[in-house]
Amino acid sequence: MPELPEVETIRIALRQGGRNGPALRGRTILSARLLWEGSLAEPSPAEFLDRIRRQRFEDFTRRGKFIVAQLTRDTLLIHLRMSGDLRVEPACDEQGQSLAPAEHDRVVLYCDDNLRLAFNDTRKFGRMWLTSDPQRVLGRLGPEPLAEDFNAEEFYRRLQKKHRQLKPLLLDQNFLAGLGNIYTDEALHLAGIHPCQISDQLTSDQTRRLWQAIREVLQSGIRHNGASIDWVYRGGNFQNTFRVYGRAGKPCPVCGHPIERRLVGQRGTHFCPVCQPAVYNVSSEV
DNA sequence: CCTGAAACCTGTCTGC
DNA sequence: TGCAGACAGGTTTCAG
């Protein structure tokens, strides 16, 4: 499911209430339940269960695709990976009966005000970290694409330092934090740049278009509360505005030519061969 | 430094 | 209908 806009949508709901239940900000954790220990990256299950008690959710921020929950003493980092989701819901019904966890719930945090936070993750790829040093986990992430100080000149410098295909490079969280498969394909199409273009061959004009396109698709995704795909993520409706993602064989919204799908860096990649022409490369003569 | 393959998992969809 | 295979929003690790 979750790329930057989906994670941001969930983060805002945790902070202010909304899509997945009431706000959790200000609630104190009373106890925790681990239904799948593999969902916990650190510390050990015993230490986690003990240490998280009596800590309050002070604030929710985001770094790349990580939800950063600031607690009283520690930081709880949550990465949803492919199929993770978070719900805030009552812990007990009107009769005071505790409600059973849902299918695929992996971690449940029970709070005051009869609320609980459920971490649901069908594919078990998601992870939580309870740590006093979040930088140890987040430290290598690339810049935030929507940050004020992430400008086109900085982006150009970073692209020129690498010699890699754009698609896998943009998916590399240490290069830029937050893009996933959907928003990368959408941004490249909006910018009119081929996904296999090599990063240090981009002109400064192309770079500016790509920088602008990345920010536009992410902001548009956030405005739409993210994209709902298949059975995994319920919520936003950005999927209704997809230009290329999941549209192989259908007409390009700009020129009408069929959208092509091929594997690039082991990821399904959607693009318009007319609007995103391959660059003729002198050094790779046929 | 870069690329590709495999691994971690469960579920859905397509084609034979 | 059954069943095998491909594919899925992500990341890490390892071999070359």
Side-chain angles (χ1 to χ4, degrees):
Chain A
M1 163 197 54
E3 304 180 31
L4 190 153
E6 290 75 28
V7 175
E8 179 69 2
T9 300
I10 292 171
R11 184 218 129 210
I12 289 170
L14 290 171
R15 191 184 204 176
Q16 288 148 32
R19 153 195 183 269
N20 43 5
L24 207 60
R25 192 184 193 184
R27 300 279 61 76
T28 297
I29 299 161
L30 304 176
S31 65
R33 224 179 131 183
L34 266 178
L35 295 103
W36 177 257
E37 293 190 351
S39 298
L40 187 60
E42 65 175 58
S44 68
E47 186 181 343
F48 175 83
L49 295 175
D50 178 59
R51 186 162 146 193
I52 202 165
R53 297 184 68 183
R54 308 306 308 168
Q55 298 210 48
R56 198 168 83 126
F57 286 106
E58 302 293 348
D59 202 4
F60 293 93
T61 56
R62 179 189 55 73
R63 180 75 174 94
K65 299 174 192 171
F66 286 83
I67 291 189
V68 182
Q70 187 55 55
L71 306 182
T72 308
R73 297 178 295 278
D74 290 315
T75 302
L76 181 67
L77 300 171
I78 305 172
H79 199 303
L80 275 5
R81 294 276 177 95
M82 292 282 264
S83 59
D85 195 10
L86 295 169
R87 302 187 320 272
V88 180
E89 61 195 14
C92 300
D93 63 18
E94 291 84 356
Q95 284 76 45
Q97 291 285 326
S98 74
L99 296 157
E103 191 181 11
H104 307 309
D105 278 356
R106 308 301 182 194
V107 182
V108 185
L109 304 180
Y110 293 89
C111 303
D112 57 0
D113 268 19
N114 188 33
L115 288 178
R116 69 183 184 193
L117 175 68
F119 173 50
N120 188 278
D121 184 20
T122 303
R123 289 177 72 180
K124 300 179 178 173
F125 287 164
R127 291 291 182 272
M128 282 187 181
W129 294 253
L130 181 66
T131 176
S132 58
D133 181 16
Q135 276 311 111
R136 214 183 56 250
V137 180
L138 307 175
R140 301 186 47 185
L141 287 176
E144 281 293 318
L146 296 179
E148 294 279 336
D149 59 356
F150 177 65
N151 54 49
E153 291 70 34
E154 164 73 4
F155 189 38
Y156 185 73
R157 277 193 294 275
R158 293 181 70 87
L159 286 166
Q160 294 296 315
K161 274 195 278 186
K162 300 282 184 179
H163 185 78
R164 292 176 64 182
Q165 290 185 324
L166 283 175
K167 176 70 190 274
L169 181 59
L170 293 172
L171 289 174
D172 183 342
Q173 301 299 297
N174 297 325
F175 179 77
L176 187 64
L179 284 179
N181 210 32
I182 293 177
Y183 291 87
T184 301
D185 283 1
E186 294 297 304
L188 285 167
H189 181 268
L190 184 57
I193 297 171
H194 196 281
C196 297
Q197 170 95 307
I198 302 300
S199 57
D200 61 3
Q201 294 174 359
L202 275 190
T203 65
S204 59
D205 189 57
Q206 285 181 308
T207 300
R208 177 161 284 283
R209 269 161 39 212
L210 183 55
W211 173 82
Q212 181 67 37
I214 288 169
R215 291 167 62 104
E216 270 185 40
V217 297
L218 291 176
Q219 277 160 351
S220 176
I222 293 171
R223 272 201 310 277
H224 287 89
N225 297 315
S228 304
I229 302 282
D230 296 342
W231 44 278
V232 182
Y233 182 76
R234 65 211 197 297
N237 53 356
F238 183 69
Q239 70 281 0
N240 299 326
T241 74
F242 285 170
R243 307 160 63 92
V244 288
Y245 184 83
R247 300 192 61 250
K250 295 179 178 156
C252 168
V254 175
C255 75
H257 192 280
I259 298 298
E260 192 172 317
R261 178 187 188 277
R262 77 165 78 146
L263 284 182
V264 180
Q266 284 107 242
R267 304 300 303 273
T269 297
H270 314 75
F271 66 101
C272 170
V274 174
C275 296
Q276 300 164 265
V279 176
Y280 175 66
N281 188 338
V282 189
S283 61
S284 63
E285 182 56 19
V286 184

